[in-house]
């Protein structure tokens, strides 16, 4: 299958390329706005430098593809102003979805974010109703980046309703961190609940999403099962920073290094469970 990967030079993109070449027979069309720092010599790989805000360019690249993993866009709101971050991300995601539909690409994966519900980039304190957070939690983004991720999921729902043969997965990734960057202070990471995603696990989720049997659109958290607040206890973190939030576990507590996100939906709809490869 021809697989188009946009934003292929990013952390997730590089991990996905490695995983796809190691575990699948896909041919890869790697697309980024800048040329890659290093080019692989594998004959299954082709590189394209392109501005995907041009819909016709995007559509042309999708011809003959069986799958699209769309990772392109601003990965956080620190790289551009609010309007540019929002407008770029939402235009890219809609170009991706509409282009896939027009080109007959049935499997689409979008890089969403845990921030689709609000979180790390909120100007004030984000609002959490309960822990562990799951996909049923209400969304209340208050910054341009988080809003762009929520709207990408709304776009996906809309396109899936219009094209019942498509399978669209929005992966809510969290702080995709390489080795050595996974410990943070309790105070600094309180807004996004000390979560993180291993790059290889993000890549594995992308590949699993290209194989789903269901049709429609689904958003799923892809977050590691442990928090990254040094050696802090999860219950103590919760009581210190989020004392009024309900805990929906059998014991009514979060224990040890337990993370604050529930990824059981990813296991149900993708077959993804952290560390299960």
């Amino acid at each position: 299958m021809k697989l188009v990967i946009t934003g292929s030079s990013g952390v997730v993109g590089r991990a996905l390329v490695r995983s796809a070449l190691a575990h699948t027979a896909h041919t890869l069309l790697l697309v980024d706005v800048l040329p890659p720092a290093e080019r692989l010599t594998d004959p299954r790989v082709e590189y394209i430098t392109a501005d995907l805000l041009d819909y016709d360019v995007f559509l042309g690249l999708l011809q003959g593809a069986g799958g699209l993993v769309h990772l392109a866009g601003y990965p956080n709101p620190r790289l551009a102003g609010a309007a540019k971050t929002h407008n770029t991300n939402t235009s890219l995601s809609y170009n991706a979805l509409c282009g896939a539909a027009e080109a007959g690409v049935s499997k689409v994966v979008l890089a969403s974010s845990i921030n689709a519900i609000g979180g790390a980039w909120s100007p004030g304190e984000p609002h959490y109703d309960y822990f562990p957070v799951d996909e049923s939690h209400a969304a209340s983004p208050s910054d341009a980046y988080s809003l762009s991720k929520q709207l990408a999921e709304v776009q996906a729902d809309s396109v899936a309703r219009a094209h019942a043969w498509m399978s669209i997965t929005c992966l809510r990734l969290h702080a995709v961190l390489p080795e050595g960057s996974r410990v943070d202070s309790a105070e600094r990471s309180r807004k996004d609940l000390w979560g993180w995603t291993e790059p290889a696990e993000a890549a594995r989720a992308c590949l699993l999403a290209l194989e789903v049997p269901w049709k429609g659109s689904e958003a799923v958290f892809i977050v590691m099962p442990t928090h990254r607040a040094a050696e802090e206890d999860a219950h103590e973190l919760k009581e210190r920073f989020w004392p009024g939030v309900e805990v929906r576990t059998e014991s009514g507590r979060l224990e040890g290094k337990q993370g604050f996100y529930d990824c059981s939906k990813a296991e149900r709809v993708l077959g993804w469970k952290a560390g299960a490869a």
Side-chain angles (χ1 to χ4, degrees), residues 28-273:
L28 309 181
L29 179 60
L30 307 184
V31 188
D32 213 304
V33 70
L34 297 173
E38 295 182 13
R39 291 175 179 262
L40 299 174
T41 57
D42 192 301
R44 292 173 293 168
V45 175
E46 179 184 358
Y47 292 92
I48 295 287
T49 302
D51 180 1
L52 298 176
L53 290 171
D54 185 324
Y55 178 74
D56 290 333
V57 169
F58 210 149
L59 179 61
L61 295 175
L62 290 169
Q63 299 304 310
L68 165 65
V69 180
H70 176 63
L71 307 172
Y74 287 111
N76 65 64
R78 292 175 173 169
L79 302 176
K84 189 170 185 179
T85 297
H86 172 276
N87 295 345
T88 298
N89 284 1
T90 53
S91 293
L92 285 172
S93 57
Y94 202 59
N95 279 358
L97 291 161
C98 289
E102 188 171 346
V105 180
S106 62
K107 295 292 196 298
V108 179
V109 183
L110 297 184
S112 184
S113 166
I114 58 103
N115 294 289
I117 68 170
W121 308 111
S122 300
E125 290 297 298
H127 177 77
Y128 295 108
D129 295 319
Y130 56 85
F131 299 139
V133 177
D134 63 15
E135 292 82 1
S136 297
H137 195 285
S140 54
S142 55
D143 66 278
Y145 171 78
S146 301
L147 178 59
S148 76
K149 293 304 182 179
Q150 184 195 34
L151 290 177
E153 294 181 4
V154 174
Q155 292 170 349
D157 290 340
S158 174
V159 170
R161 283 192 293 270
H163 304 279
W165 47 271
M166 294 183 73
S167 305
I168 306 171
T169 307
C170 301
L171 301 180
R172 290 180 175 176
L173 304 172
H174 190 335
V176 183
L177 297 171
E179 190 76 42
S181 307
R182 297 172 190 158
V183 177
D184 205 351
S185 73
E187 173 65 31
R188 189 164 52 235
S189 296
R190 74 189 189 283
K191 286 187 177 183
D192 66 355
L193 305 177
W194 312 279
W196 61 286
T197 305
E198 158 70 47
E201 291 288 358
R204 188 163 64 89
C206 291
L207 293 177
L208 287 169
L210 295 169
E211 305 295 334
V212 296
W214 46 261
K215 308 300 180 188
S217 175
E218 298 285 355
V220 295
F221 284 113
I222 302 295
V223 185
M224 306 310 287
T226 56
H227 68 72
R228 72 178 197 274
E231 297 304 315
E232 302 259 4
D233 180 80
H235 176 72
E236 293 175 2
L237 285 170
K238 186 267 176 191
E239 289 301 303
R240 193 189 331 166
F241 294 102
W242 306 101
V245 178
E246 175 189 2
V247 177
R248 296 181 180 178
T249 64
E250 261 186 53
S251 66
R253 293 168 59 99
L254 297 170
E255 305 284 354
K257 292 288 289 182
Q258 182 178 354
F260 285 68
Y261 293 88
D262 178 354
C263 293
S264 57
K265 181 180 177 182
E267 186 171 7
R268 291 195 309 273
V269 304
L270 299 183
W272 180 90
K273 185 177 182 180

